[in-house]
Amino acid sequence: MIEAVGPTLPNHIVEWTVLIVTYPFFTGIVAGATVVSALVYLFGLKHLEQLERVGHFLAIALMLVAPLAPMFDLTMPIRAFKVPFYPNLSSPIILFFILWTLLLIVMFLKSYFLFRRDFVEKAKEGGFFGKVAGVLTFGAKDINPEADDKKVKFWATVSIPVAMFFHAYVGFLMSAMHSMPLWGTSILLLVFLISAVVSGIGAVLLLYVIGQSILGEQVKPEELKVPVLVMSAFAGFDLFVLFIEYVSEWYWNTAEWPLIAMAIKANLLAYLIEVLGLFFVLIGGFSGLRNSVSGITLLSIVSLIAVYAARWTMVIPAQMIDKGHRGIVYPHIKFVGREGITEVIALFFLVFFLFFLFVSIAGYKPAQQHKEVA
């Protein structure tokens, strides 16, 4: 066995690094945020409507930014725009484009009926954002809350399976690559979906707590009990599935196992962050931490860190195994340039910019809540 740093082996280098790690992290939060929608519109937890509203803003922002990650990974990003104009139905990328477009349409339709009352009220205030809100009403000034609520529930219900399938497609593509150890397993798709729920709920909870703090309003931990418990339960489920996956790899003791063990050892820190983070969310969610704002905030932050580490352990180690089975190749992570850390930071900033832009246009709270407070 040999170990190599960088592209020293003639037949293999690690092509996908931080950008491709970030892409499924973003789409996973989108899929996980729809679980909050399910709690509100399918299970009738109406007191979580404000939390769901935050999740919806975040999901749209991530949907618009997520495709930029694989685009930046390309040596010629402009070629990505050829996909819709020159579709190749035998290429898996065209299915991604179809799913992304379908989910974006569904989310915008839900947005229209969800925020139409807010747009009408915002348009009356005038100013720049008032004019933008007036345009987004599309001339419909008559409000029918009951009809709008039914349409919101319909499109929210449709968005849940579409978002899950959109995120699961990443795991499906990886599991189809049987030439890559650690990827050629059907469990991979399940792991992606389970961890997506953990990160999605964690991100929505964190932004909700931050938003309430900025507005100087009280966060009631008892109202967030159900999403915290769901997040913790899925963290435990994720640990269970990961245990099955890696124990199976060890038990089968295939020819690739020594190389898999080397790749795991090389990424041991990421694995520890993933496992310990998920275990902390599992235990913390069923402890007294869920009864305080600081505890919920801590659980949310740890969930995001753990799932980002999980995306790293899914994307990087499998690529490190040399195709000639002679050793492992270490990735070269740059700070600036293609596949650089600065690109990832820029994507995160863009997500937050779009999130606060949407909040500024549609309002952090529904228009009817403003009237009740007044």
Side-chain angles (χ1 to χ4, degrees):
M1 297 291 181
I2 64 171
E3 294 189 8
V5 178
T8 56
L9 294 181
N11 67 339
H12 182 60
I13 62 173
V14 178
E15 294 280 0
W16 294 346
T17 56
V18 288
L19 279 175
I20 306 303
V21 170
T22 304
Y23 170 70
F25 179 71
F26 281 174
T27 59
I29 293 177
V30 173
T34 62
V35 175
V36 181
S37 293
L39 294 176
V40 174
Y41 297 109
L42 298 185
F43 295 94
L45 301 181
K46 296 299 182 181
H47 64 279
L48 296 177
E49 283 185 335
Q50 182 60 46
L51 185 70
E52 195 277 336
R53 188 181 181 93
V54 172
H56 186 74
F57 284 133
L58 178 61
I60 294 179
L62 287 169
M63 278 295 296
L64 295 174
V65 175
L68 296 178
M71 278 183 63
F72 288 171
D73 178 70
L74 300 174
T75 53
M76 297 179 64
I78 195 68
R79 295 183 64 183
F81 294 101
K82 290 187 176 182
V83 173
F85 298 106
Y86 303 95
N88 180 5
L89 297 180
S90 63
S91 172
I93 197 65
I94 190 62
L95 181 55
F96 156 78
F97 178 77
I98 293 172
L99 289 172
W100 178 79
T101 305
L102 178 62
L103 180 57
L104 205 58
I105 292 172
V106 170
M107 292 178 71
F108 275 119
L109 286 170
K110 176 191 170 187
S111 298
Y112 176 71
F113 295 109
L114 180 64
F115 303 132
R116 190 156 66 125
R117 280 168 280 181
D118 306 288
F119 292 154
V120 172
E121 294 296 325
K122 193 81 172 180
K124 296 177 182 178
E125 298 176 4
F128 173 75
F129 289 117
K131 291 180 180 179
V132 174
V135 173
L136 294 175
T137 62
F138 294 99
K141 305 298 183 180
D142 296 330
I143 302 301
N144 188 339
E146 292 184 0
D148 283 352
D149 288 343
K150 289 181 180 179
K151 292 173 183 176
V152 169
K153 183 177 181 179
F154 172 78
W155 289 114
T157 304
V158 172
S159 70
I160 296 169
V162 177
M164 291 294 179
F165 190 33
F166 173 71
H167 177 62
Y169 185 60
V170 181
F172 170 76
L173 286 180
M174 288 185 173
S175 63
M177 299 181 185
H178 294 284
S179 60
M180 303 286 280
L182 288 178
W183 281 0
T185 169
S186 56
I187 284 184
L188 193 64
L189 187 150
L190 185 61
V191 172
F192 266 84
L193 282 177
I194 297 171
S195 57
V197 176
V198 179
S199 62
I201 296 178
V204 175
L205 285 171
L206 182 60
L207 279 180
Y208 173 75
V209 171
I210 293 174
Q212 294 294 92
S213 300
I214 292 174
L215 293 176
E217 299 191 1
Q218 183 182 8
V219 177
K220 299 179 180 178
E222 62 274 11
E223 293 184 352
L224 304 177
K225 179 180 178 180
V226 173
V228 172
L229 289 176
V230 172
M231 178 178 68
S232 300
F234 272 85
F237 191 20
D238 195 11
L239 284 171
F240 176 70
V241 175
L242 286 172
F243 175 77
I244 292 175
E245 178 186 4
Y246 286 102
V247 168
S248 299
E249 291 282 357
W250 168 77
Y251 182 77
W252 291 331
N253 195 22
T254 58
E256 293 87 4
W257 173 247
L259 296 172
I260 292 174
M262 290 174 65
I264 292 175
K265 182 180 178 182
N267 294 274
L268 188 58
L269 179 60
Y271 279 100
L272 286 175
I273 294 173
E274 175 187 6
V275 173
L276 295 178
L278 290 173
F279 186 75
F280 179 82
V281 174
L282 169 62
I283 300 301
F286 290 93
S287 70
L289 285 177
R290 72 169 187 265
N291 298 324
S292 66
V293 177
S294 58
I296 293 174
T297 304
L298 179 60
L299 288 172
S300 301
I301 293 173
V302 172
S303 71
L304 292 172
I305 295 173
V307 174
Y308 195 87
R311 296 295 176 259
W312 179 278
T313 59
M314 284 294 169
V315 174
I316 303 299
Q319 297 181 81
M320 292 176 63
I321 299 173
D322 176 53
K323 293 180 180 178
H325 289 192
R326 295 176 296 173
I328 60 174
V329 182
Y330 286 85
H332 177 61
I333 308 298
K334 295 180 293 185
F335 185 75
V336 180
R338 179 173 171 263
E339 279 282 350
I341 296 175
T342 51
E343 290 185 334
V344 174
I345 295 174
L347 291 178
F348 273 95
F349 271 106
L350 184 56
V351 170
F352 291 125
F353 170 77
L354 290 176
F355 175 82
F356 288 112
L357 178 64
F358 298 151
V359 169
S360 299
I361 295 174
Y364 183 73
K365 288 189 172 184
Q368 60 269 28
Q369 286 191 19
H370 290 296
K371 289 183 176 181
E372 291 172 4
V373 172

